[in-house]
Amino acid sequence: MNILIENGKVVNSDKSEFADVFISDGKILKVGKFSETEVPVPDRKINAKDMLVFPGGIDPHVHFKLPAGNGFTADDFVTGGKAALFGGTTTVIDFVTPSRNQSYLEALEQRFKDSDNCPVDFSFHMSPTWWGKDSAKEIKECLNEGISSFKIYMAYLSSIGIVDSDIEKVMSQIADYGGLLTAHCEVDERIEQLRRKFISEGKVSPEYHPLSRPPQVEEDAVRNLIRIAGGKNCPVYIVHVSSGGSVEIINQDRKRGQIVLGETCPQYFLLDDSAYSGNFNKASAFVMSPPLRPKLHQERIWDGIKNNLLQTVATDHCSFTLAQKRLGINDFTKIPNGAAGVENRMQLLYTYGVNSGKITLNEFVALTSRNAALIFGLGSSKGRIEQGFDADIVVWNPKPESVISANTHHHNSDITTWEDFKIIGAPVYTIRRGELMIENNKINPAISTGKFMKRDLPALSNWS
Ligand code: URP
Ligand code: ZN
């Protein structure tokens, strides 16, 4: 299909220009001003006057069909992928989480089955959840398969987390091959101690969730991770940075010459820990790890975003229904951790970042797609509106005002942490590799499935 997008303002991470975009065969054929004779006949013309034309969003941190809470998360790859498209995101990176002693590659095969019919393009970070005699070889094979980033958990030691000595082994391999290690930074022992203490004292409500995972628990893990990475010369990317202190630690170590990248999520600069008090049904929706922080952290996360200390805004999308959350009605440690967001990410950052004057349009593109593309080895095909790139494009109306609600969102959940949040701006057309997926808030019934993206090694020269 050939599509001509006319008269819009095309925004890339480094420049904006009034230009037309011609899409052919899934790729961007031309950007600029060109005559009809220079391009094939379009099957479809989109008038983007007064609209912004962004690269399709890349959310590098989602959990679809994750086993948890007596079953799976509420969104699978189909419902989560559709919700992503409604919000302007055309590519996601999820995870492979092998169980202990399971081959990484066997777990990858299962994940390919889970992601059948996913409507957005996708990839996985591989999680080395244990270390065995074949692990080094399997890491190399992952890289050969186009999986160039890995994720370790410093929390959850009793299930998927790994200890420092194994983190060192993982880092050695990744550093040798030029991959990237991403990390969930929280000190597990301290969390477990605090949880045990609160439960034994009968402190079982959601307000004890953030108190059992205070900011220092994250900051100490960040410091420790960066120390180990320094010894192994391994680039690291810290997922869901929630604490202002972590941003400062990243800054100090970056100045010392280490490659330390950071991701945050809208919940850490727009929500705060007051959400945990009161009624269980409301408060439990906000139980996620790391937890929401006291309000004073929000400005420090924004500073990290503005000063390029945090490179990406992801979501950590991990949705549950209220019934699932109620598993922890008598014990906050049993509330499944996580919340939905893949549909809301771009609108939230546009409203509270661009519209409020905190970030520019170009920074918005860097944070929602281009930086993730470079960092995760998709830099030659995604996150940019330029000839030869994948035609992942969002035509964005900057004007409409609306309110987020679980009654109208496309996440497969009856709750949202963003209930009543005002948003300004909305995707009018979401195009994934040249295919019109969303038009005026309606999904095309005939959409094809997304593609597994074999990724290159990370391109980190902007941050080294
Ligand atoms: O609470 C969260 N974030 N759940 C998803 C799993 C994780 O820790 O990233
Ligand atoms: Zn996560």
Side-chain angles (χ1 to χ4, degrees):
M1 183 169 187
N2 297 326
I3 305 177
L4 174 62
I5 304 172
E6 297 177 291
N7 310 317
K9 180 173 177 179
V10 174
V11 186
N12 274 308
S13 57
D14 57 349
K15 62 173 181 187
S16 309
E17 57 183 326
F18 287 95
D20 298 340
V21 181
F22 198 93
I23 296 170
S24 183
D25 219 5
K27 295 276 182 194
I28 297 170
L29 189 68
K30 264 193 186 301
V31 182
K33 291 289 165 199
F34 40 84
S35 70
E36 279 179 10
T37 56
E38 290 177 75
V39 288
V41 178
D43 302 298
R44 181 75 201 261
K45 280 188 184 183
I46 292 174
N47 185 0
K49 185 168 180 321
D50 299 326
M51 306 261 177
L52 300 165
V53 183
F54 294 137
I58 301 174
D59 187 339
H61 188 158
V62 302
H63 302 273
F64 295 155
K65 202 174 183 198
L66 178 75
N70 267 5
F72 291 91
T73 47
D75 280 300
D76 59 18
F77 281 81
V78 174
T79 63
K82 284 185 182 168
L85 290 168
F86 275 102
T89 288
T90 48
T91 305
V92 299
I93 312 183
D94 202 297
F95 299 86
V96 181
T97 314
S99 34
R100 292 263 160 86
N101 296 323
Q102 185 184 22
S103 140
Y104 301 169
L105 298 171
E106 182 189 295
L108 174 62
E109 280 311 307
Q110 179 57 47
R111 219 55 190 137
F112 278 126
K113 291 190 189 125
D114 291 344
S115 55
D116 264 357
N117 299 319
C118 176
V120 285
D121 285 352
F122 62 96
S123 181
F124 304 110
H125 308 281
M126 173 59 73
S127 278
T129 51
W130 64 289
W131 190 263
K133 67 175 175 30
D134 292 329
S135 300
K137 197 175 82 201
E138 291 208 319
I139 285 180
K140 176 101 177 66
E141 282 175 39
C142 287
L143 285 146
N144 291 341
E145 293 301 312
I147 292 183
S148 51
S149 54
F150 299 81
K151 176 177 184 195
I152 54 113
Y153 294 84
M154 299 174 98
Y156 315 128
L157 281 186
S158 65
S159 53
I160 54 176
I162 57 171
V163 294
D164 291 2
S165 54
D166 285 341
I167 295 176
E168 287 191 25
K169 292 175 194 147
V170 171
M171 282 184 179
S172 292
Q173 294 306 313
I174 293 174
D176 274 2
Y177 301 134
L180 178 69
L181 184 72
T182 80
H184 175 133
C185 295
E186 287 185 299
V187 180
D188 187 69
E189 294 86 346
R190 296 243 295 285
I191 297 167
E192 288 310 319
Q193 255 171 21
L194 286 165
R195 290 177 133 201
R196 278 196 300 272
K197 175 177 166 308
F198 288 134
I199 296 299
S200 71
E201 292 168 353
K203 296 172 174 165
V204 296
S205 65
E207 66 193 293
Y208 292 97
H209 172 69
L211 299 176
S212 69
R213 312 176 93 100
Q216 297 79 359
V217 160
E218 175 181 306
E219 292 157 18
D220 287 349
V222 167
R223 213 177 272 111
N224 189 30
L225 179 90
I226 296 174
R227 178 189 62 77
I228 306 173
K232 297 288 171 190
N233 208 12
C234 182
V236 284
Y237 170 101
I238 298 162
V239 301
H240 47 46
V241 172
S242 68
S243 152
S246 301
V247 176
E248 278 133 41
I249 296 163
I250 291 171
N251 192 17
Q252 286 155 17
D253 288 288
R254 177 97 48 77
K255 281 189 195 145
R256 278 199 279 274
Q258 255 181 271
I259 301 185
V260 184
L261 307 170
E263 159 198 291
T264 191
C265 311
Q267 54 269 32
Y268 300 121
F269 53 82
L270 295 176
L271 302 175
D272 67 75
D273 63 355
S274 60
Y276 295 113
S277 51
N279 173 290
F280 177 90
N281 287 357
K282 274 198 164 169
S284 58
F286 298 87
V287 170
M288 60 184 78
S289 294
L292 303 177
R293 303 300 186 190
K295 211 170 175 50
L296 60 93
H297 288 262
Q298 292 179 354
E299 246 350 272
R300 295 156 80 192
I301 299 286
W302 274 118
D303 283 346
I305 291 174
K306 284 186 288 195
N307 296 322
N308 197 22
L309 296 166
L310 302 172
Q311 286 70 37
T312 62
V313 172
T315 57
D316 196 8
H317 177 98
C318 187
S319 59
F320 294 100
T321 60
L322 177 58
Q324 288 177 299
K325 289 279 182 182
R326 283 182 68 82
L327 288 172
I329 181 82
N330 296 317
D331 178 346
F332 75 88
T333 68
K334 298 200 165 54
I335 302 171
N337 276 215
V342 72
E343 179 176 0
N344 311 123
R345 177 183 71 127
M346 292 180 75
Q347 284 179 295
L348 287 167
L349 189 63
Y350 185 83
T351 306
Y352 296 94
V354 176
N355 226 57
S356 72
K358 282 190 162 74
I359 58 169
T360 65
L361 282 172
N362 309 99
E363 287 167 338
F364 173 80
V365 169
L367 290 159
T368 55
S369 64
R370 186 60 185 155
N371 287 352
L374 291 168
I375 290 169
F376 294 111
L378 294 169
S380 59
S381 57
K382 300 221 177 266
R384 191 155 180 86
I385 300 181
E386 189 177 299
Q387 188 177 342
F389 277 71
D390 283 357
D392 296 335
I393 293 182
V394 190
V395 178
W396 188 276
N397 184 344
K399 297 238 171 65
E401 297 187 15
S402 56
V403 168
I404 300 175
S405 169
N407 296 323
T408 49
H409 70 186
H410 298 87
H411 301 136
N412 188 30
S413 167
D414 51 353
I415 50 175
T416 173
T417 52
W418 301 107
E419 193 68 42
D420 290 335
F421 251 74
K422 277 199 190 134
I423 40 175
I424 301 174
V428 185
Y429 301 93
T430 305
I431 298 168
R432 190 224 61 209
R433 269 183 301 102
E435 198 174 322
L436 196 46
M437 309 295 273
I438 303 283
E439 184 169 352
N440 292 316
N441 214 26
K442 294 219 164 41
I443 194 155
N444 174 352
I447 53 176
S448 69
T449 59
K451 176 168 129 188
F452 170 70
M453 298 301 301
K454 273 191 158 212
R455 294 184 282 125
D456 299 325
L457 294 179
L460 304 180
S461 58
N462 286 359
W463 301 285
S464 53

